[in-house]
Amino acid sequence: MNALSRTGILGGTFDPIHFGHLDVAAAARRALGLTEVIFVPSRIPPHRQMAPVASEKHRLAMVTLAVENQSGYRTSDQELRSDRPSYTSVTLETCVDTGIPPSQLFFITGADAFAEIASWYDYPNLLNLAHFVVVSRPSHAVSELRQRLPDLEVRMREAGTLASLDLRHDGTLIWLVDAATRDISSSDIRTRLARGDSIAQHVPPSVATYIERRHTYAARSMDGSLHD
């Protein structure tokens, strides 16, 4: 591992992956000068009451298609290969065990998700396993986090031009990235698909084609929920 390398981790259900996810990844990469961003689909999301609609195979395939032509992006099936709930701390510990030190590891998340960080498994210890990069989402500005999470304010920093900074000796921090990200959610996409509406403005063309050809979200159960 190069001493100047910075590895970003973006986890999520990705059911399906969409432009909002890609906006968050791009904003984090620009602000922190990340060498690469690894997209990690979750197998058993601990914060979701319902299981993902699309299968693990379909979700991994869609993420792979979404990032395959983008330099510096790649996909990992690390969480999909585990039979444990997809805890962020476990994923980060695995990354550290493979040789990525916490000083060079950056976990990327939206401000809406990070606002609930106190409910995450292994909190607050997981904050020592990587830098956290928190990106604004529509109706969830990073500027609100200092007031909402006062106990963490001392670790928060405004992300800026960091390419020349040495982060190896300052401990792990919480980097706030104020960036425009598109107002898209996976649940809204599934609703649009159920109505027969276009999702061309919501997902990359390769993902839209995959969903159409594989009928990934085509069927409805009797209770109205979507299944692949």
Side-chain angles (χ1 to χ4, degrees):
M1 175 64 64
N2 186 297
L4 298 179
S5 295
R6 296 176 184 170
T7 299
I9 303 291
L10 179 59
T13 310
F14 301 124
D15 192 23
I17 189 170
H18 53 68
F19 285 130
H21 296 127
L22 297 173
D23 288 347
V24 167
R29 191 178 185 195
R30 286 193 304 268
L32 276 299
L34 302 181
T35 308
E36 67 173 351
V37 175
I38 304 172
F39 291 71
V40 185
S42 58
R43 178 176 179 269
I44 307 174
H47 285 88
R48 272 184 59 156
Q49 294 181 345
M50 297 181 63
V53 174
S55 68
E56 299 165 14
K57 177 188 71 175
H58 285 318
R59 291 186 291 114
L60 179 63
M62 289 186 287
V63 174
T64 301
L65 286 169
V67 306
E68 65 179 354
N69 294 319
Q70 301 198 48
S71 176
Y73 288 176
R74 63 183 176 92
T75 308
S76 169
D77 65 351
Q78 173 183 326
E79 292 185 0
L80 298 180
R81 288 184 280 106
S82 172
D83 58 2
R84 300 180 58 180
S86 302
Y87 293 124
T88 296
S89 64
V90 174
T91 298
L92 294 177
E93 285 173 351
T94 301
C95 291
V96 172
D97 288 343
T98 63
I100 307 175
S103 61
Q104 294 174 243
L105 192 57
F106 295 77
F107 185 79
I108 304 166
T109 186
D112 48 347
F114 189 79
E116 308 298 328
I117 188 68
S119 69
W120 292 24
Y121 175 76
D122 200 27
Y123 173 85
N125 294 327
L126 80 166
L127 294 172
N128 298 321
L129 296 171
H131 296 278
F132 273 64
V133 186
V134 187
V135 182
S136 293
R137 293 292 289 139
S139 302
H140 294 87
V142 290
S143 59
E144 300 172 357
L145 292 175
R146 294 182 184 275
Q147 289 186 327
R148 186 159 182 175
L149 301 170
D151 292 344
L152 297 180
E153 183 178 8
V154 67
R155 300 180 73 156
M156 294 182 184
R157 302 287 188 276
E158 303 293 332
T161 304
L162 301 172
S164 62
L165 297 185
D166 185 350
L167 304 180
R168 290 174 292 174
H169 307 296
D170 295 329
T172 53
L173 299 170
I174 300 166
W175 296 97
L176 306 181
V177 179
D178 187 14
T181 58
R182 278 168 276 194
D183 189 5
I184 303 172
S185 72
S186 296
S187 59
D188 287 344
I189 291 171
R190 296 195 301 270
T191 298
R192 293 183 66 85
L193 288 166
R195 294 197 304 251
D197 295 341
S198 171
I199 59 169
Q201 302 302 313
H202 298 74
V203 302
S206 57
V207 175
T209 299
Y210 183 94
I211 291 171
E212 180 181 2
R213 290 181 177 175
R214 300 298 183 103
H215 305 288
T216 313
Y217 300 98
R220 275 185 173 276
S221 67
M222 293 301 291
D223 64 0
S225 59
L226 293 172
H227 296 273
D228 64 325

